Amino acid sequence: MAGRRHRGSCRSNTSRRRNTSSRRNISRSTRAELQFPVSRVDHYLREGNYSRRLSSSAPVFLAGVLEYIASNILDLAGEEAHANGRKRISPEHVYQVVENNQQLHELFGNPRSLGEEMSELSED
C-alpha cells in the first residue's frame, strides 16, 4: 500500500500543461464576430494620428460600423443586379444603389466625381 501513488496528483499537473500549450490565439475580429479586420482598422486609426489616445473598443466599433455599411450596400446591389437579370454585382449596380438611396448618397456624395471609370463601364 505504501508503494501506491495517487492518480489524481500526477494527472492534474500534466493536464494543466496540456491546456496552456494547446491554446491558440483568437483574433479580435473573431471575438467580436466580425468579418472586417479589427487589427487593420486599429493600425489605420493609430497611423492616421486622429487623436493622441485610442481606446481598445474604438477599432472594434468602427470595424462593426464599416461591416454594417458594406453589408447593406452589397445587399441592395445584389437586389439591383437581380432586378436587372444579372447574377453578379457590378460597379454600376453599386453606383445605382448609392444614387437611389438618400442616406448613402449623403454619406458618399457623388461617387462618379472620383474618376471616369464608371463611364467606361457603362459603354460596355
Side-chain angles (χ1 to χ4, degrees):
M1 294 269 182
R4 286 184 131 179
R5 298 171 95 184
H6 295 288
R7 290 185 181 182
S9 63
C10 289
R11 286 187 182 174
S12 64
N13 289 340
T14 57
S15 64
R16 207 177 303 147
R17 273 187 250 139
R18 283 186 203 143
N19 287 340
T20 57
S21 64
S22 66
R23 283 188 187 167
R24 59 187 185 105
N25 295 332
I26 299 173
S27 70
R28 291 187 284 176
S29 298
T30 304
R31 285 186 194 152
E33 297 179 358
L34 295 173
Q35 299 300 311
F36 270 47
V38 173
S39 296
R40 188 173 298 170
V41 171
D42 186 18
H43 174 73
Y44 287 143
L45 284 174
R46 292 184 190 281
E47 188 180 82
N49 292 326
Y50 297 108
S51 72
R52 288 186 294 164
R53 299 174 62 178
L54 187 66
S55 74
S56 61
S57 62
V60 178
F61 185 80
L62 182 58
V65 169
L66 292 173
E67 183 174 319
Y68 174 77
I69 292 172
S71 173
N72 282 345
I73 290 173
L74 289 174
D75 186 38
L76 293 171
E79 291 174 6
E80 185 72 30
H82 183 70
N84 292 337
R86 305 283 183 184
K87 292 187 178 184
R88 293 183 182 158
I89 298 173
S90 69
E92 187 65 30
H93 297 134
V94 175
Y95 171 75
Q96 289 172 354
V97 164
V98 172
E99 279 295 308
N100 295 336
N101 190 319
Q102 182 183 2
Q103 292 175 338
L104 291 175
H105 187 70
E106 289 175 9
L107 180 64
F108 292 112
N110 187 8
R112 290 207 182 207
S113 65
L114 297 175
E116 297 298 321
E117 295 87 9
M118 297 307 292
S119 64
E120 295 173 6
L121 291 174
S122 62
E123 291 175 2
D124 291 337

